[in-house]
């Protein structure tokens, strides 16, 4: 299905804005109820600090993307736990982590693998934190080794229908993320881009 040019002709700035909006809109704290491995409530309450009515700014530290590999496995659990405990000891309030669409739904549509991230969230709780910001990342990552791309099945669709990507006025495609032009077009194995992103979130 060919996407109308009026929908495809979006600027590079729009692409970056969409990426930012998706990340911000999907940012959320760890849902309740918490996993069974949660530390006793009494221990969490001892560590929790009440800053109501003060000018305290909560400090979150972004964890590196490479702690989860392309098979959605935690790379170095022992080293990560040591680092989390160090962060807790210096008064950090919580941590942030990117969860990559290219890892979670990597190979087939609706085939989700959250194993590594679930293990990570349990470890964050065990380290004494009860706050975590999860950034749902639906774009590619060039800073990760190995490179985190869009899901394999999305790339295959893009080879047949490059209109799913942003296109500038000179006709150049940018395959780092999906175009706004398919937000309402069921070109992703019967789903629209919005349907795909909402289900993952």
């Amino acid at each position: 299905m060919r996407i109308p040019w009026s929908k495809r002709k979006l600027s590079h700035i729009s692409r970056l804005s969409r990426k930012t909006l998706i990340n911000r809109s999907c940012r959320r704290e760890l849902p309740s109820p918490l996993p069974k491995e949660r530390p006793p409530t009494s221990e969490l309450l001892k560590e929790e600090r009440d800053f109501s009515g003060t000018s305290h700014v909560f400090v979150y530290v972004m964890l590196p993307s490479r702690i989860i590999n392309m098979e959605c496995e935690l790379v170095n659990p022992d080293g990560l736990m040591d680092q989390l405990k160090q962060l807790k000891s210096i008064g950090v309030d919580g941590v942030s982590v990117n969860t990559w669409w290219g890892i979670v739904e990597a190979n087939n549509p609706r085939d989700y693998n959250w194993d590594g991230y679930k293990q990570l969230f349990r470890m964050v709780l065990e380290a004494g934190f009860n706050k975590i910001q999860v950034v749902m990342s639906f774009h590619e990552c060039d800073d990760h080794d190995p490179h985190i791309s869009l899901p394999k099945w999305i790339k295959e669709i893009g080879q047949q229908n490059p209109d799913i990507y942003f296109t500038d006025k000179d006709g150049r495609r940018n395959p780092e993320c999906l175009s706004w032009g398919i937000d309402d077009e069921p070109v992703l194995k019967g789903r629209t881009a919005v349907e795909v992103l909402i289900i993952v979130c």
Side-chain angles (χ1 to χ4, degrees), residues 54-160:
T54 74
S55 58
H56 176 77
V57 177
F58 286 94
V59 176
Y60 291 82
V61 172
M62 174 64 76
L63 300 179
S65 295
R66 61 179 57 88
I67 61 175
I68 302 287
N69 64 22
M70 297 304 296
E71 285 70 44
C72 202
E73 299 170 336
L74 208 54
V75 174
N76 182 9
D78 293 336
L80 175 62
M81 179 58 78
D82 290 340
Q83 294 174 0
L84 289 172
K85 289 180 178 179
Q86 289 179 21
L87 291 175
K88 186 64 178 177
S89 70
I90 62 175
V92 170
D93 295 292
V95 296
S96 301
V97 61
N98 287 98
T99 55
W100 295 96
W101 182 31
I103 293 177
V104 172
E105 197 180 5
N107 298 312
N108 298 293
R110 303 178 190 270
D111 181 13
Y112 304 103
N113 179 7
W114 290 94
D115 291 347
Y117 290 109
K118 289 179 180 179
Q119 184 181 0
L120 169 62
F121 299 154
R122 287 193 293 266
M123 291 182 62
V124 170
L125 290 172
E126 291 170 4
F129 293 103
N130 61 0
K131 291 183 174 65
I132 182 170
Q133 291 180 335
V134 178
V135 183
M136 307 299 291
S137 300
F138 295 98
H139 56 281
E140 292 194 351
C141 176
D142 293 325
D143 299 330
H144 189 275
D145 183 20
H147 171 77
I148 300 177
S149 68
L150 295 181
K152 177 182 177 182
W153 60 277
I154 290 290
K155 305 291 282 187
E156 292 173 351
I157 294 174
Q159 291 178 354
Q160 301 296 323

Side-chain angles (χ1 to χ4, degrees), residues 6-72:
S6 60
K7 289 188 176 183
R8 288 189 284 122
K9 193 175 181 181
L10 296 172
S11 68
H12 179 68
I13 294 178
S14 296
R15 176 180 63 80
L16 294 177
S17 299
R18 182 173 189 262
K19 184 188 300 184
T20 301
L21 287 172
I22 289 174
N23 283 345
R24 289 180 178 175
S25 64
C26 292
R27 188 172 296 171
R28 59 185 66 177
E29 291 193 356
L30 194 68
S32 181
L34 298 172
K36 294 181 180 179
E37 291 78 2
R38 177 188 182 186
T41 302
S42 58
E43 293 183 14
L44 290 176
L45 291 176
K46 290 178 182 178
E47 296 293 333
E48 182 66 11
R49 294 167 292 169
D50 184 6
F51 293 100
S52 302
T54 74
S55 58
H56 176 77
V57 177
F58 286 94
V59 176
Y60 291 82
V61 172
M62 174 64 76
L63 300 179
S65 295
R66 61 179 57 88
I67 61 175
I68 302 287
N69 64 22
M70 297 304 296
E71 285 70 44
C72 202

